[in-house]
Amino acid sequence: KERVRGIWSCEARGIFAGALALALVRARENRRGGAAAAAEEEKEEEEEPTAVKSKKQRYRKEKPWDHEGIDHWHVAPFGKDDSSGPFLEESSFVTLFPAYREKYLREMWPAVTKALEPHGIVPTLNLIEGSMRVATTRKTYDPYAILKARDMMKLLSRSVPLAQAVKVMRDETHCDVIKIGNLVRNKQRFVKRRQRLIGPHGSTLKAIELLTDCYVLVQGNTVSAMGPFAGLKQVRRIVEECMANVHPVYNIKAMMIKRELAKDPQLAQENWDRFLPKFKKRNVKAKADVKASKKDKEYTPFPPLPPESKIDKMLESGEYFLSEDVRRQRKQREREERADALKKVKRAEREKEFVAPTKVEEDEMKRNAMRNGEASVKKETDRKRKRSDVADVRDKGGGSAWRSDMESAKRSAEKRFEAKKSRAREQSGERKASRYIAQ
């Protein structure tokens, strides 16, 4: 046994020594090869200048199948020849609709069935449950058509007309239903911002549609949009920022500038931030806290003085020491003074009616009457006849008699007015006397 152990130990030592020598040789070769490869790489780097890569593309690997000429937004058409055959399983989607859409959907459902028939989709309207169902058949060749039909049902349930909702079945048209009901907590604020999105007479909504090439409909708590992917992305950003109190006009202005900049090929690879407008956020300052604004008053051990009572005010003015009759007479006198002042104002207003208008005012009144059609032909002829009679009297020498008649009429009118005033004064004196006797 000892001999066998010695033999095995000698063989093991030999094997170990041979393996170690082989490993050293291989390591030396690898070291030489690595140095040569590193030298070659250094030569290539010296020959080719290193291109400065941006932070975004530092770790990006080259893709031979991807180049600048590829349109990543393009959707390739899918025809019947591209299909491998009928589907093995049936796919279906169910969409609920509100009660106010039931009448419209019932009338337009034959047109919906006819629109989905070329795609091999069968729609079903369930008025009991208030739902719309779309399902594939053996004639369906496009696997994505069922998803397009589902989007069409969503748009119909959100009050989009059928003529517009059918366009979502095209390959280049897609849809997005944006929920805005839970973005603003206050109901009044939500209604104002939703109306801000529509704009006066729908002008803001029309501008968004023209700039994004999308159809946009605001209905209830959702905003339905149809169009290309790039436009839908812009519409969603505008709607969400509008609900966050950013006016859509700011985004519309920036989009108009970007559209003009995209026409210039020299600015295609440049940064456009210097051309875009920068709007400062103006926050309305909230009302300062009343408690915080109050200044700290100096501490005094004495309590504040109580407010003056009615008796204190009477003592201060000296009215407290007068008798009741004197106080009553003073109040009566003040009341009469106020009444006299009011009478003077009303008398002046009444006397304005008796002041004769000037020649310019009279002509203006006549002109207005003629313009408004209030003066008839008969009145006009009578007025001319009277004027001619007065002129004849003056020409014949009867001007003094005519003047005296006018003065007497004016004197009689003044006498009547004075009698009326004295009668009113007597009546007011009688009322005061009776009131005094009653007291």
Side-chain angles (χ1 to χ4, degrees):
K1 290 179 180 179
E2 290 177 359
R3 287 177 187 170
V4 171
R5 283 177 188 166
I7 292 168
W8 277 108
S9 62
C10 290
E11 290 179 358
R13 287 171 190 163
I15 292 169
F16 178 73
L20 183 61
L22 185 61
L24 290 170
V25 171
R26 286 180 178 174
R28 205 171 293 149
E29 290 177 357
N30 290 338
R31 208 174 293 152
R32 288 174 186 167
E40 290 178 1
E41 288 179 0
E42 287 178 359
K43 287 180 182 179
E44 290 177 359
E45 288 178 358
E46 289 176 358
E47 292 174 359
E48 298 178 1
T50 56
V52 179
K53 291 186 177 181
S54 63
K55 187 177 179 182
K56 183 179 178 182
Q57 298 182 350
R58 188 173 296 170
Y59 302 103
R60 182 170 291 181
K61 295 182 179 179
E62 295 293 333
K63 301 182 182 70
W65 63 87
D66 192 5
H67 53 85
E68 294 181 356
I70 293 176
D71 185 8
H72 296 282
W73 293 104
H74 177 66
V75 179
F78 192 91
K80 292 183 179 180
D81 300 334
D82 300 325
S83 178
S84 59
F87 301 152
L88 299 177
E89 295 289 340
E90 182 191 76
S91 300
S92 63
F93 290 98
V94 178
T95 306
L96 300 176
F97 61 86
Y100 63 84
R101 292 289 289 172
E102 180 179 338
K103 183 181 177 182
Y104 178 81
L105 291 173
R106 194 190 304 157
E107 293 175 356
M108 304 302 294
W109 200 251
V112 174
T113 307
K114 188 176 180 181
L116 294 176
E117 188 177 356
H119 302 277
I121 305 293
V122 176
T124 308
L125 180 64
N126 191 339
L127 298 176
I128 298 171
E129 296 180 358
S131 63
M132 296 179 287
R133 182 176 180 271
V134 287
T136 57
T137 60
R138 299 281 295 177
K139 295 180 181 179
T140 309
Y141 61 90
D142 188 359
Y144 197 69
I146 185 65
L147 300 177
K148 290 274 192 178
R150 177 201 62 184
D151 294 341
M152 179 179 168
M153 296 298 113
K154 279 185 182 179
L155 294 171
L156 287 173
S157 66
R158 295 315 307 152
S159 299
V160 177
L162 177 63
Q164 190 68 34
V166 171
K167 295 178 183 178
V168 81
M169 298 301 295
R170 302 173 184 171
D171 289 338
E172 67 276 5
T173 308
H174 308 274
C175 81
D176 188 11
V177 180
I178 307 162
K179 296 180 181 179
I180 59 174
N182 57 352
L183 297 180
V184 182
R185 189 173 294 178
N186 192 337
K187 186 70 176 176
Q188 294 179 352
R189 196 173 295 164
F190 167 74
V191 172
K192 284 183 180 178
R193 292 181 186 177
R194 185 180 62 181
Q195 185 61 33
R196 190 184 297 167
L197 185 65
I198 298 170
H201 308 292
S203 57
T204 307
L205 203 65
K206 188 66 177 176
I208 294 170
E209 289 180 350
L210 292 173
L211 289 170
T212 59
D213 297 329
C214 293
Y215 170 82
V216 185
L217 177 70
V218 181
Q219 173 68 22
N221 293 333
T222 58
V223 178
S224 304
M226 290 175 56
F229 279 124
L232 293 176
K233 187 178 178 182
Q234 292 174 338
V235 170
R236 177 171 278 274
R237 192 183 76 250
I238 292 170
V239 170
E240 289 179 351
E241 288 186 1
C242 180
M243 290 294 120
N245 202 20
V246 177
H247 203 283
V249 172
Y250 299 146
N251 286 314
I252 288 170
K253 191 172 183 180
M255 288 166 63
M256 291 171 68
I257 294 170
K258 286 180 182 177
R259 174 173 281 193
E260 293 299 322
L261 292 172
K263 296 176 182 178
D264 191 354
Q266 295 179 357
L267 300 172
Q269 302 297 330
E270 292 186 15
N271 190 5
W272 292 350
D273 289 343
R274 57 197 172 100
F275 301 108
L276 299 177
K278 295 177 182 178
F279 302 101
K280 293 182 180 180
K281 192 172 182 181
R282 295 182 296 176
N283 287 332
V284 180
K285 292 184 178 180
K287 291 183 179 179
D289 193 3
V290 179
K291 295 180 181 178
S293 63
K294 284 184 178 179
K295 295 180 179 179
D296 296 335
K297 295 181 180 179
E298 295 181 2
Y299 172 74
T300 55
F302 307 104
L305 294 172
E308 291 185 354
S309 63
K310 192 175 182 180
I311 296 173
D312 294 338
K313 292 178 181 177
M314 291 171 68
L315 285 168
E316 189 175 353
S317 63
E319 190 180 354
Y320 183 78
F321 304 101
L322 300 175
S323 62
E324 288 292 331
D325 294 337
V326 177
R327 283 187 214 159
R328 199 181 297 114
Q329 290 174 6
R330 181 180 287 184
K331 287 182 180 178
Q332 182 68 19
R333 202 180 307 118
E334 291 176 357
R335 202 180 294 117
E336 288 175 359
E337 288 175 359
R338 286 198 299 270
D340 291 340
L342 188 62
K343 281 179 184 177
K344 288 180 181 178
V345 173
K346 289 187 176 180
R347 192 183 299 120
E349 290 179 358
R350 285 197 300 269
E351 288 177 353
K352 283 181 182 178
E353 298 177 1
F354 297 97
V355 177
T358 60
K359 184 68 177 174
V360 178
E361 292 177 354
E362 191 175 354
D363 294 342
E364 186 66 26
M365 290 166 62
K366 290 175 184 176
R367 211 176 291 114
N368 291 336
M370 289 293 291
R371 195 181 296 117
N372 297 333
E374 294 177 0
S376 61
V377 178
K378 186 179 178 181
K379 289 182 180 180
E380 188 68 22
T381 54
D382 293 343
R383 197 179 294 113
K384 288 180 180 178
R385 195 180 297 114
K386 286 179 181 178
R387 286 179 183 173
S388 63
D389 294 343
V390 171
D392 292 341
V393 170
R394 287 177 181 173
D395 294 339
K396 290 175 183 178
S400 59
W402 176 79
R403 223 176 276 111
S404 63
D405 292 340
M406 290 295 291
E407 289 175 359
S408 62
K410 186 177 180 182
R411 254 185 262 111
S412 61
E414 288 177 356
K415 285 180 182 179
R416 284 197 299 273
F417 183 68
E418 289 295 332
K420 191 175 180 181
K421 286 201 291 186
S422 61
R423 203 179 304 116
R425 204 177 292 115
E426 289 172 2
Q427 289 176 0
S428 63
E430 289 174 2
R431 280 195 222 101
K432 289 178 185 177
S434 61
R435 201 180 299 126
Y436 182 74
I437 291 165
Q439 288 175 359

